[in-house]
mmCIF file of all heavy atoms in Angstrom:
data_model
loop_
_atom_site.group_PDB
_atom_site.id
_atom_site.type_symbol
_atom_site.label_atom_id
_atom_site.label_comp_id
_atom_site.label_asym_id
_atom_site.label_seq_id
_atom_site.Cartn_x
_atom_site.Cartn_y
_atom_site.Cartn_z
ATOM 1 N N GLY A 19 -12.053 -13.838 9.438
ATOM 2 C CA GLY A 19 -13.390 -13.887 8.683
ATOM 3 C C GLY A 19 -14.494 -14.431 9.699
ATOM 4 O O GLY A 19 -14.290 -14.802 10.813
ATOM 5 N N GLY A 20 -15.636 -14.604 9.161
ATOM 6 C CA GLY A 20 -16.788 -15.111 9.932
ATOM 7 C C GLY A 20 -18.191 -14.855 9.384
ATOM 8 O O GLY A 20 -18.200 -14.272 8.135
ATOM 9 N N ARG A 21 -19.219 -14.850 10.045
ATOM 10 C CA ARG A 21 -20.542 -14.610 9.625
ATOM 11 C C ARG A 21 -20.868 -13.242 9.100
ATOM 12 O O ARG A 21 -21.790 -12.964 8.369
ATOM 13 C CB ARG A 21 -21.609 -15.133 10.504
ATOM 14 C CG ARG A 21 -21.496 -14.372 11.835
ATOM 15 C CD ARG A 21 -22.987 -14.450 12.536
ATOM 16 N NE ARG A 21 -23.384 -15.859 12.778
ATOM 17 C CZ ARG A 21 -23.181 -16.399 14.026
ATOM 18 N NH1 ARG A 21 -22.701 -15.708 15.071
ATOM 19 N NH2 ARG A 21 -23.591 -17.655 14.059
ATOM 20 N N MET A 22 -19.979 -12.371 9.626
ATOM 21 C CA MET A 22 -20.148 -10.783 9.236
ATOM 22 C C MET A 22 -19.420 -10.399 8.015
ATOM 23 O O MET A 22 -19.463 -9.328 7.717
ATOM 24 C CB MET A 22 -19.789 -9.987 10.440
ATOM 25 C CG MET A 22 -20.650 -10.265 11.719
ATOM 26 S SD MET A 22 -20.064 -9.242 13.214
ATOM 27 C CE MET A 22 -20.878 -7.632 12.781
ATOM 28 N N GLU A 23 -18.890 -11.389 7.354
ATOM 29 C CA GLU A 23 -18.164 -11.011 6.029
ATOM 30 C C GLU A 23 -19.114 -10.396 5.114
ATOM 31 O O GLU A 23 -18.705 -9.417 4.424
ATOM 32 C CB GLU A 23 -17.614 -12.247 5.549
ATOM 33 C CG GLU A 23 -16.385 -12.850 6.181
ATOM 34 C CD GLU A 23 -15.831 -14.146 5.509
ATOM 35 O OE1 GLU A 23 -16.040 -14.159 4.273
ATOM 36 O OE2 GLU A 23 -15.392 -15.062 6.211
ATOM 37 N N THR A 24 -20.286 -10.796 5.038
ATOM 38 C CA THR A 24 -21.230 -10.354 4.104
ATOM 39 C C THR A 24 -21.522 -8.880 4.436
ATOM 40 O O THR A 24 -21.624 -8.101 3.532
ATOM 41 C CB THR A 24 -22.623 -11.013 4.104
ATOM 42 O OG1 THR A 24 -22.371 -12.505 3.785
ATOM 43 C CG2 THR A 24 -23.572 -10.543 3.115
ATOM 44 N N ALA A 25 -21.746 -8.587 5.638
ATOM 45 C CA ALA A 25 -21.835 -7.079 6.189
ATOM 46 C C ALA A 25 -20.768 -6.252 5.764
ATOM 47 O O ALA A 25 -20.956 -5.098 5.377
ATOM 48 C CB ALA A 25 -22.218 -7.107 7.615
ATOM 49 N N LEU A 26 -19.550 -6.799 5.894
ATOM 50 C CA LEU A 26 -18.369 -5.952 5.576
ATOM 51 C C LEU A 26 -18.332 -5.720 3.999
ATOM 52 O O LEU A 26 -18.101 -4.576 3.770
ATOM 53 C CB LEU A 26 -17.093 -6.875 5.906
ATOM 54 C CG LEU A 26 -15.765 -6.075 5.524
ATOM 55 C CD1 LEU A 26 -15.503 -4.901 6.273
ATOM 56 C CD2 LEU A 26 -14.635 -7.107 5.737
ATOM 57 N N ALA A 27 -18.730 -6.589 3.334
ATOM 58 C CA ALA A 27 -18.651 -6.497 1.892
ATOM 59 C C ALA A 27 -19.775 -5.473 1.472
ATOM 60 O O ALA A 27 -19.557 -4.699 0.653
ATOM 61 C CB ALA A 27 -19.039 -7.755 1.121
ATOM 62 N N ALA A 28 -20.934 -5.521 2.154
ATOM 63 C CA ALA A 28 -21.985 -4.590 1.797
ATOM 64 C C ALA A 28 -21.588 -3.228 2.212
ATOM 65 O O ALA A 28 -22.008 -2.177 1.600
ATOM 66 C CB ALA A 28 -23.292 -4.951 2.538
ATOM 67 N N ALA A 29 -20.635 -2.969 3.223
ATOM 68 C CA ALA A 29 -20.190 -1.701 3.621
ATOM 69 C C ALA A 29 -19.102 -1.190 2.735
ATOM 70 O O ALA A 29 -18.637 -0.003 2.846
ATOM 71 C CB ALA A 29 -19.650 -1.855 5.038
ATOM 72 N N GLY A 30 -18.597 -2.034 1.825
ATOM 73 C CA GLY A 30 -17.591 -1.600 0.895
ATOM 74 C C GLY A 30 -16.220 -1.972 1.344
ATOM 75 O O GLY A 30 -15.282 -1.597 0.708
ATOM 76 N N GLY A 31 -16.195 -2.737 2.423
ATOM 77 C CA GLY A 31 -14.839 -3.135 3.032
ATOM 78 C C GLY A 31 -14.310 -4.395 2.276
ATOM 79 O O GLY A 31 -15.091 -5.054 1.627
ATOM 80 N N GLU A 32 -13.021 -4.600 2.318
ATOM 81 C CA GLU A 32 -12.332 -5.757 1.713
ATOM 82 C C GLU A 32 -11.781 -6.564 2.639
ATOM 83 O O GLU A 32 -10.814 -6.126 3.518
ATOM 84 C CB GLU A 32 -11.361 -5.181 0.650
ATOM 85 C CG GLU A 32 -11.908 -4.120 -0.298
ATOM 86 C CD GLU A 32 -10.786 -3.431 -1.093
ATOM 87 O OE1 GLU A 32 -9.898 -4.070 -1.549
ATOM 88 O OE2 GLU A 32 -10.854 -2.282 -1.271
ATOM 89 N N LEU A 33 -12.012 -7.815 2.723
ATOM 90 C CA LEU A 33 -11.467 -8.729 3.625
ATOM 91 C C LEU A 33 -9.998 -9.230 3.244
ATOM 92 O O LEU A 33 -9.858 -9.792 2.035
ATOM 93 C CB LEU A 33 -12.326 -9.915 3.814
ATOM 94 C CG LEU A 33 -11.883 -11.129 4.796
ATOM 95 C CD1 LEU A 33 -11.797 -10.534 6.284
ATOM 96 C CD2 LEU A 33 -12.747 -12.347 4.769
ATOM 97 N N VAL A 34 -9.157 -9.200 4.130
ATOM 98 C CA VAL A 34 -7.867 -9.745 3.986
ATOM 99 C C VAL A 34 -7.783 -10.933 4.806
ATOM 100 O O VAL A 34 -7.736 -10.852 6.005
ATOM 101 C CB VAL A 34 -6.617 -8.831 4.316
ATOM 102 C CG1 VAL A 34 -5.281 -9.496 4.110
ATOM 103 C CG2 VAL A 34 -6.744 -7.587 3.386
ATOM 104 N N ARG A 35 -8.003 -12.199 4.307
ATOM 105 C CA ARG A 35 -8.135 -13.361 5.106
ATOM 106 C C ARG A 35 -6.842 -13.956 5.756
ATOM 107 O O ARG A 35 -6.068 -14.415 4.985
ATOM 108 C CB ARG A 35 -8.949 -14.396 4.330
ATOM 109 C CG ARG A 35 -9.441 -15.531 5.377
ATOM 110 C CD ARG A 35 -10.161 -16.646 4.543
ATOM 111 N NE ARG A 35 -11.259 -16.077 3.792
ATOM 112 C CZ ARG A 35 -12.550 -15.869 4.206
ATOM 113 N NH1 ARG A 35 -12.771 -16.141 5.473
ATOM 114 N NH2 ARG A 35 -13.457 -15.330 3.385
ATOM 115 N N LEU A 36 -6.505 -13.738 6.994
ATOM 116 C CA LEU A 36 -5.345 -14.221 7.620
ATOM 117 C C LEU A 36 -5.729 -14.676 8.956
ATOM 118 O O LEU A 36 -6.744 -14.279 9.542
ATOM 119 C CB LEU A 36 -4.273 -13.039 7.685
ATOM 120 C CG LEU A 36 -3.654 -12.570 6.339
ATOM 121 C CD1 LEU A 36 -2.896 -11.361 6.627
ATOM 122 C CD2 LEU A 36 -2.716 -13.696 5.872
ATOM 123 N N PRO A 37 -4.860 -15.642 9.595
ATOM 124 C CA PRO A 37 -5.194 -16.169 10.915
ATOM 125 C C PRO A 37 -4.863 -15.100 11.935
ATOM 126 O O PRO A 37 -4.090 -15.441 12.768
ATOM 127 C CB PRO A 37 -4.283 -17.358 10.907
ATOM 128 C CG PRO A 37 -3.071 -17.000 10.146
ATOM 129 C CD PRO A 37 -3.675 -16.182 8.925
ATOM 130 N N MET A 38 -5.545 -13.969 11.965
ATOM 131 C CA MET A 38 -5.346 -13.101 12.992
ATOM 132 C C MET A 38 -5.696 -13.450 14.314
ATOM 133 O O MET A 38 -5.324 -12.763 15.375
ATOM 134 C CB MET A 38 -6.121 -11.696 12.561
ATOM 135 C CG MET A 38 -5.746 -11.143 11.249
ATOM 136 S SD MET A 38 -4.015 -10.972 10.854
ATOM 137 C CE MET A 38 -3.443 -10.101 12.151
ATOM 138 N N GLN A 39 -6.411 -14.433 14.533
ATOM 139 C CA GLN A 39 -6.886 -14.932 15.908
ATOM 140 C C GLN A 39 -5.897 -15.711 16.599
ATOM 141 O O GLN A 39 -5.899 -15.921 17.774
ATOM 142 C CB GLN A 39 -8.218 -15.790 15.753
ATOM 143 C CG GLN A 39 -7.933 -17.219 15.456
ATOM 144 C CD GLN A 39 -7.469 -17.511 13.978
ATOM 145 O OE1 GLN A 39 -7.357 -16.578 13.253
ATOM 146 N NE2 GLN A 39 -7.148 -18.711 13.711
ATOM 147 N N SER A 40 -4.740 -16.180 15.872
ATOM 148 C CA SER A 40 -3.738 -17.051 16.420
ATOM 149 C C SER A 40 -2.864 -16.399 17.469
ATOM 150 O O SER A 40 -2.399 -15.150 17.301
ATOM 151 C CB SER A 40 -2.962 -17.710 15.244
ATOM 152 O OG SER A 40 -1.900 -18.545 15.783
ATOM 153 N N LYS A 41 -2.565 -17.067 18.437
ATOM 154 C CA LYS A 41 -1.586 -16.692 19.579
ATOM 155 C C LYS A 41 -0.279 -17.416 19.421
ATOM 156 O O LYS A 41 0.594 -17.347 20.268
ATOM 157 C CB LYS A 41 -2.221 -16.759 20.970
ATOM 158 C CG LYS A 41 -3.447 -15.906 21.114
ATOM 159 C CD LYS A 41 -3.982 -16.067 22.641
ATOM 160 C CE LYS A 41 -5.194 -15.281 22.717
ATOM 161 N NZ LYS A 41 -5.822 -15.339 24.075
ATOM 162 N N ASN A 42 -0.201 -18.269 18.457
ATOM 163 C CA ASN A 42 1.026 -19.080 18.170
ATOM 164 C C ASN A 42 2.124 -18.149 17.690
ATOM 165 O O ASN A 42 1.907 -17.459 16.631
ATOM 166 C CB ASN A 42 0.758 -20.248 17.226
ATOM 167 C CG ASN A 42 1.988 -21.088 16.998
ATOM 168 O OD1 ASN A 42 3.041 -20.650 16.782
ATOM 169 N ND2 ASN A 42 1.630 -22.348 17.043
#
């Protein structure tokens, strides 16, 4: 997630919040 979450929601998208940035 991040500051563009609002734009995603406005586009009709659905956020699945997971630590996708991790390299662990």
Side-chain angles (χ1 to χ4, degrees):
R21 64 159 58 102
M22 298 177 79
E23 289 180 32
T24 302
L26 175 64
E32 305 170 46
L33 176 65
V34 178
R35 195 182 303 279
L36 288 169
M38 303 310 306
Q39 83 292 348
S40 178
K41 297 181 181 179
N42 182 310

